[in-house]
Amino acid sequence: MSTVKNLTVSKFGGTSVADYEAMLRCANIIKSDSANKVVVVSASSGVTNYLVRLSQPQISQDEQLDIVNKIKAIQFNITQHLSKELELNERVEQLLAELTQHAKEQSLNHSLRIADAILSYGEQLSSIIFAEVLQTIGVNGKAFDVRQIMRTNSLFGKAVVDLDALKTNTTQVLLPELENNVIVTQGFIGQNEAGQTTTLGRGGSDYSAALLAEALNANDLAIWTDVVGIFTTDPRITDQARAIKEISFGEAAEMATFGAKILHPATLIPAMRQNIPVFVGSSKAPEQGGTRIQKVVDSAPTYRSIALRREQTLVTVKSPEMLHASGFLAKVFTILAKHELSVDLITTSEISIALTFDNPAGSTQAVITKAVVEDLEQLCEVKVEHGLSLVAVIGNNIHTTSGIGNVIFDAVEGVNIRMICQGASAHNLCFLVPENDANKVVETLHHRLFPLS
Ligand code: ADP
Ligand code: ASP
Ligand code: MG
């Protein structure tokens, strides 16, 4: 495959493209290094949440109009600073007219397919506008519809990308574009075989950027967001959190998987496959540097960070049949696979299994539907619990270092720990706590594991 020498794929999240000043800062980051030839953008901050609302059943016409107008205001607020304002506004209006059509269709006959079509407009809008912002500072920005190359299956809302098709399409369609342009494309969206728009799941733009970096054989992937890198825990939970300079792929992947919102859970998979170093930094303060995620790092501390994932669903299935029997787990997993559900944590006892599922905020679909419960009930007793959060302590050699459990559980004394998982990975120990206790648990643990010296 022909490759571009010295290529960085740069992704800008919602807050980085929220308004004109933010977009201009990002455009200057792109301009500062000629390796920045591929830009992946999210929807402007807040737009995807509006689109999720628009994609729901039974939205009144008034509310539809109100949402479309709010999105228009966000985008026009940016275009008013650009010399091609009128031309761009016309394009924005066209896209919003299409969006309104989808919204009407959705209110008559709701489907996940139309929901994905609706959700895609945030990224479509921000990409055409950002390309123009690049133009105003003398960079040859060109919007590129990622759906030409990001082929997926038809699992609307969490579509799976066809990696072979992506690679072939990238070589044939995207690569030639890089000769004379800086390409601005959409994160989060793709297209199925039938030409219908799909989405990769909330926060999926990070993953799109990583997939493109892999398909392009890029040298680097830069994730520009609103914090100066990956922190020891979410800085919104405690102001004692601090940025990590360097972290291994393995540790960062666990952090993302266990809820550090800074990266979509799948982001590091393509980067690890192709050994592409990932940088995470703030588009507001690029001079402050950020975190480098790579294969080999200088240090491997026992405690690296604490991740928190909210809105977990715990399903307990119970059947006397499980006692001394084989095949029960297989039956449960066959049902889950039929519903395309992926399990996060598992613990088992003699006659029951507890399983957790991620139920991310702002998705277009519930995870454990009535149909799933009914299918499981054919087999066993089923109990579904909500209102839980998953706390994960991430580090190194967690499974072989003695005394870790004491330190952790001592710190969270008095809190009802609903489930504990440890042992499968060298990099984490995690447990479920009631949602209301989660912040306090993370704060206390952080204080204990990362004391300010
Ligand atoms: P973007 O829109 O750029 O994709 P996100 O909101 O998805 O940004 O992710 C950035 C946010 O992730 C930060 O503002 C921060 O609150 C949160 N976050 C959670 N865990 C961490 C962590 N360990 N380090 C840094 N940020 C984190
Ligand atoms: N705009 C999408 C979302 O808000 C994707 C992303 O930002 O990564 O989930
Ligand atoms: Mg994100």
Side-chain angles (χ1 to χ4, degrees):
M1 172 185 163
S2 64
T3 50
V4 179
K5 266 198 210 135
N6 204 11
L7 171 66
T8 301
V9 172
S10 311
K11 177 259 170 176
F12 296 100
T15 45
S16 299
V17 292
D19 53 35
Y20 174 68
E21 284 72 28
M23 279 204 184
L24 195 58
R25 277 194 298 267
C26 299
N28 280 308
I29 291 174
I30 294 303
K31 192 179 180 179
S32 69
D33 184 349
S34 62
N36 295 326
K37 296 189 187 84
V38 177
V39 179
V40 176
V41 289
S42 290
S44 299
S45 194
V47 170
T48 308
N49 286 345
Y50 282 134
L51 294 170
V52 168
R53 177 81 192 122
L54 199 59
S55 74
Q56 278 158 1
Q58 282 142 12
I59 299 278
S60 70
Q61 289 231 349
D62 283 352
E63 195 178 347
Q64 278 177 17
L65 189 65
D66 181 52
I67 291 174
V68 172
N69 281 335
K70 282 187 169 125
I71 295 172
K72 192 196 290 189
I74 293 173
Q75 309 299 347
F76 277 19
N77 219 351
I78 308 177
T79 57
Q80 63 169 325
H81 297 274
L82 301 169
S83 57
K84 288 213 184 134
E85 180 187 0
L86 293 181
E87 214 178 300
L88 265 177
N89 284 358
E90 209 174 296
R91 186 75 192 108
V92 170
E93 296 270 22
Q94 272 170 9
L95 288 170
L96 292 178
E98 283 174 30
L99 172 64
T100 307
Q101 259 327 101
H102 290 303
K104 286 205 172 112
E105 202 187 331
Q106 184 74 322
S107 57
L108 293 174
N109 197 359
H110 179 269
S111 76
L112 292 174
R113 175 183 63 77
I114 307 173
D116 268 9
I118 290 176
L119 256 54
S120 72
Y121 281 87
E123 274 70 13
Q124 293 190 59
L125 289 161
S126 59
S127 55
I128 55 165
I129 298 173
F130 188 74
E132 199 46 49
V133 175
L134 281 174
Q135 291 278 350
T136 62
I137 60 161
V139 176
N140 208 13
K142 184 177 175 192
F144 176 88
D145 191 333
V146 83
R147 291 171 294 184
Q148 297 172 76
I149 59 173
M150 195 67 77
R151 174 62 46 79
T152 72
N153 66 6
S154 299
L155 205 52
F156 296 103
K158 46 178 180 178
V160 179
V161 175
D162 178 339
L163 298 179
D164 292 333
L166 174 61
K167 186 112 188 169
T168 312
N169 296 341
T170 299
T171 311
Q172 287 172 359
V173 190
L174 178 57
L175 213 50
E177 295 276 5
L178 302 187
E179 230 149 81
N180 301 313
N181 308 295
V182 169
I183 286 303
V184 182
T185 197
Q186 307 80 27
F188 182 53
I189 70 173
Q191 192 172 70
N192 68 8
E193 196 78 30
Q196 294 161 333
T197 299
T198 55
T199 66
L200 311 185
R202 292 302 305 266
S205 297
D206 302 325
Y207 182 45
S208 304
L211 287 169
L212 289 171
E214 179 185 38
L216 285 160
N217 273 332
N219 306 79
D220 284 287
L221 168 63
I223 306 280
W224 294 100
T225 179
D226 58 357
V227 283
V228 295
I230 299 185
F231 282 58
T232 45
T233 195
D234 188 341
R236 277 183 293 203
I237 298 179
T238 165
D239 56 12
Q240 299 204 349
R242 26 204 202 274
I244 300 166
K245 278 285 143 220
E246 216 192 26
I247 182 169
S248 67
F249 278 134
E251 291 167 278
E254 298 261 350
M255 278 185 81
T257 307
F258 287 105
K261 188 178 174 245
I262 183 96
L263 290 177
H264 178 274
T267 312
L268 293 168
I269 299 169
M272 285 161 95
R273 271 195 302 250
Q274 192 84 17
N275 196 11
I276 302 170
V278 181
F279 168 84
V280 181
S282 165
S283 65
K284 271 194 193 141
E287 72 290 347
Q288 286 188 32
T291 304
R292 279 206 84 74
I293 311 171
Q294 48 204 9
K295 195 169 169 185
V296 182
V297 288
D298 287 342
S299 70
T302 306
Y303 304 119
R304 181 74 88 179
S305 69
I306 303 166
L308 174 63
R309 195 155 79 182
R310 299 179 205 276
E311 299 194 60
Q312 301 302 290
T313 301
L314 178 66
V315 177
T316 312
V317 293
K318 188 172 165 190
S319 166
E321 234 191 77
M322 197 175 146
L323 194 64
H324 309 305
S326 59
F328 182 73
L329 267 176
K331 285 181 198 157
V332 170
F333 277 88
T334 304
I335 293 172
L336 298 175
K338 181 184 131 196
H339 291 276
E340 321 238 24
L341 285 171
S342 100
V343 177
D344 289 328
L345 305 185
I346 308 176
T347 57
T348 63
S349 80
E350 235 169 359
I351 58 159
S352 60
I353 317 170
L355 311 147
T356 70
F357 298 85
D358 193 22
N359 202 0
S363 308
T364 44
Q365 47 202 305
V367 172
I368 304 297
T369 55
K370 219 169 133 223
V372 178
V373 175
E374 279 169 7
D375 275 0
L376 286 170
E377 275 172 349
Q378 302 289 317
L379 196 67
C380 47
E381 262 177 55
V382 183
K383 187 172 157 204
V384 181
E385 290 169 66
H386 298 284
L388 295 162
S389 286
L390 179 67
V391 179
V393 174
I394 316 282
N396 293 280
N397 302 320
I398 300 258
H399 62 328
T400 51
T401 309
S402 58
I404 288 186
N406 292 353
V407 175
I408 294 174
F409 296 117
D410 190 38
V412 298
E413 207 195 302
V415 174
N416 174 30
I417 295 178
R418 189 60 193 80
M419 181 177 182
I420 304 171
C421 269
Q422 198 244 322
S425 157
H427 293 304
N428 82 68
L429 182 156
C430 45
F431 51 94
L432 276 181
V433 295
E435 195 91 54
N436 293 341
D437 292 323
N439 272 23
K440 188 78 207 136
V441 165
V442 173
E443 223 184 317
T444 315
L445 253 183
H446 191 274
H447 191 70
R448 187 69 64 92
L449 303 184
F450 303 97
L452 290 174
S453 46

